[in-house]
Amino acid sequence: MDKFTCNLYLIAVYVHPNLKLTMKFSQYFRLFALSLIIASCSSDSEPSSETGKSGTPPVTAAIPTETYFPPISRSNEWETISMETLGWNEAEVSNLYFFLENNNTDAFIVLKNGRIVIEKYFGDFKSDDNHAWNSAGKNLTAMLTGIAQEEGYLDITDATSTHLGEGWSNLPLEQEMNITIKNQLTMTTGLDYTVDDIFCTEPQCLNYLNEPSTFWYYHNAPYTLLDNVIANATETDYNSYFSKKIKEPIGMQGLFLEIGYNNVFFSSARSMARFGILNLTKGNWDGISILDDQDYFNAMTNTSQNLNLSYGYLYWLNGKTSFRLPSTIDEYSGSLIPNAPDDLYAGLGLNDQKLYMVPSLDLVVVRMGGASNEELLGPSSFDNEIWELLNAIMEQ
């Protein structure tokens, strides 16, 4: 049994239709549900500001600049920092909470230098409840691919067939061999996205449409097959490799579960926040190297091709001059999230699962819940609305 934060035991069960669930699923995942049992957690309390003697102004705490890493032991310990210490406008927080609650939010966390500034749960969702990351989990796969490359199991310039074998697609072998792992990471495989089910990973669903590296489309099936690429290359179970290389070393909990054709990661909001910290420290966790290859990390979190400037290796990027979106072939001018900092990069999943990371502000923001409006695969108007409200809080 793996060791997880908060004495987590993961038990997959079929769920009776009348059972009340704490995890919310999209229309793609309603065939069945799984609950994850969690116990022995204690809540953190936010420290109060220190005050001086009567008649003297309160002592203002210095703002720590070093990154805080929450313990990886079985503890719910996590340092906090107050908005007062940061000089943020706490009066604006109620507007944020009202917006989040009225847009199907379950969990919302803001970290500054790794410390919790905001942690809020809505309805009956609790800090130790688990939620689907949906496509925000693509970030996990991207980093794990870099680790596998660093360890010599694969090279992203390898033909996908090197690790999946011939015939994984419906293409002639010569065309199939032209598709690389990098094409999978950048959504440029050229496979036909007009098929009935873009999630289908069966060979008959993977047909030729464009030459690799000549067209960008948010095609989920080639991404999902990266899991098998990594598993075959490392000769181990995908969950086991992920657990050994990322999850356990940084104190995450959670599990990838196969739902239909998809391999979806479930965890608590705090585990998503931990992964955000790992990104801001460029793959280093409190002196332990998780991903040492900085060339790969920088390529992963910057424009990876000239077809969609706002896409890295399965990461969404802000601050570029144009962007493309899932479910369309159109290109749009301007930044992906105009209200957000230009250096933001993110994991964005179906039904507004959000993991924002902002290096210039040492900021991680996590949002889990149901769709705020439309059931979209990644970016949505919700991104810009959240950042308008966060900006009002962080104004100084």
Side-chain angles (χ1 to χ4, degrees):
M1 178 71 70
D2 289 340
K3 294 181 178 179
F4 304 110
T5 304
C6 306
N7 293 335
L8 174 67
Y9 297 92
L10 297 177
I11 303 175
V13 297
Y14 289 103
V15 178
H16 188 278
N18 293 325
L19 183 63
K20 185 177 180 181
L21 298 177
T22 56
M23 293 182 298
K24 297 189 178 180
F25 299 90
S26 72
Q27 60 184 356
Y28 300 105
F29 308 140
R30 289 172 183 160
L31 294 179
F32 68 96
L34 299 163
S35 66
L36 306 178
I37 311 299
I38 306 175
S40 302
C41 290
S42 60
S43 60
D44 293 321
S45 59
E46 184 166 329
S48 57
S49 300
E50 182 181 353
T51 57
K53 296 179 180 179
S54 178
T56 62
V59 176
T60 303
I63 301 174
T65 56
E66 76 284 357
T67 300
Y68 169 76
F69 297 91
I72 61 173
S73 59
R74 291 183 178 182
S75 166
N76 207 31
E77 177 186 348
W78 199 309
E79 281 189 16
T80 63
I81 187 168
S82 69
M83 284 181 250
E84 180 183 10
T85 298
L86 294 172
W88 290 7
N89 187 358
E90 194 167 0
E92 293 290 335
V93 174
S94 59
N95 293 331
L96 173 67
Y97 288 169
F98 180 84
F99 172 77
L100 294 171
E101 186 169 19
N102 283 275
N103 283 275
N104 299 320
T105 302
D106 288 327
F108 191 78
I109 296 176
V110 177
L111 305 182
K112 174 70 172 176
N113 297 113
R115 295 165 180 84
I116 294 174
V117 187
I118 296 172
E119 184 175 29
K120 181 72 171 176
Y121 300 95
F122 300 87
D124 58 1
F125 199 89
K126 301 180 293 297
S127 63
D128 55 3
D129 287 337
N130 290 268
H131 201 290
W133 288 35
N134 296 338
S135 284
K138 286 180 168 67
N139 288 184
L140 300 171
T141 302
M143 186 170 289
L144 197 60
T145 303
I147 293 170
Q149 176 175 259
E150 186 176 299
E151 295 186 333
Y153 291 113
L154 57 80
D155 190 295
I156 63 170
T157 62
D158 290 345
T160 300
S161 299
T162 303
H163 304 285
L164 293 186
E166 298 175 6
W168 63 270
S169 74
N170 203 28
L171 277 61
L173 180 59
E174 183 179 352
Q175 290 181 331
E176 186 179 86
M177 289 295 294
N178 289 333
I179 298 175
T180 67
I181 296 172
K182 186 175 180 179
N183 290 135
Q184 293 174 275
L185 289 167
T186 59
M187 296 289 180
T188 58
T189 61
L191 293 170
D192 189 359
Y193 54 83
T194 66
V195 293
D196 292 337
D197 186 355
I198 63 169
F199 298 95
C200 175
T201 55
E202 301 293 337
Q204 64 267 23
C205 299
L206 304 173
N207 302 302
Y208 176 87
L209 183 63
N210 298 295
E211 283 297 303
S213 304
T214 65
F215 197 83
W216 188 93
Y217 192 85
Y218 194 79
H219 192 170
N220 218 65
Y223 149 72
T224 301
L225 286 170
L226 276 171
D227 298 352
N228 290 337
V229 168
I230 294 171
N232 292 344
T234 60
E235 298 183 344
T236 188
D237 174 76
Y238 184 76
N239 259 313
S240 298
Y241 189 65
F242 169 74
S243 180
K244 181 180 179 181
K245 297 302 177 180
I246 296 178
K247 187 178 73 173
E248 291 180 3
I250 72 171
M252 290 178 69
Q253 50 75 239
L255 191 71
F256 279 97
L257 298 172
E258 291 185 11
I259 301 179
Y261 288 112
N262 298 290
N263 202 15
V264 182
F265 192 69
F266 291 82
S267 83
S268 66
R270 282 191 170 198
S271 282
M272 183 182 273
R274 283 176 180 269
F275 185 67
I277 295 173
L278 181 64
N279 278 270
L280 289 187
T281 55
K282 296 187 174 182
N284 187 285
W285 186 268
D286 200 13
I288 299 173
S289 177
I290 306 300
L291 173 64
D292 194 48
D293 186 349
Q294 293 303 292
D295 288 339
Y296 180 89
F297 184 89
N298 291 331
M300 178 176 73
T301 55
N302 285 283
T303 301
S304 60
Q305 26 64 49
N306 60 7
L307 303 168
N308 184 356
L309 302 182
S310 298
Y311 208 70
Y313 293 169
L314 304 175
Y315 277 65
W316 289 98
L317 314 173
N318 201 41
K320 309 305 178 184
T321 57
S322 63
F323 60 91
R324 294 178 184 269
L325 296 173
S327 305
T328 178
I329 61 173
D330 297 327
E331 182 178 72
Y332 302 90
S333 297
S335 183
L336 183 68
I337 310 174
N339 285 331
D342 283 347
D343 64 330
L344 174 147
Y345 52 87
L348 304 176
L350 176 71
N351 294 340
D352 292 316
Q353 315 316 316
K354 311 291 186 184
L355 172 59
Y356 306 114
M357 293 148 288
V358 185
S360 62
L361 299 178
D362 291 308
L363 210 67
V364 172
V365 181
V366 167
R367 186 270 181 185
M368 289 177 163
S372 63
N373 192 355
E374 297 179 84
E375 293 189 351
L376 300 175
L377 290 175
S380 69
S381 60
F382 193 59
D383 298 297
N384 215 37
E385 292 172 296
I386 284 179
W387 278 97
E388 181 178 6
L389 294 164
L390 285 174
N391 288 337
I393 293 171
M394 293 187 294
E395 276 184 355
Q396 298 184 25

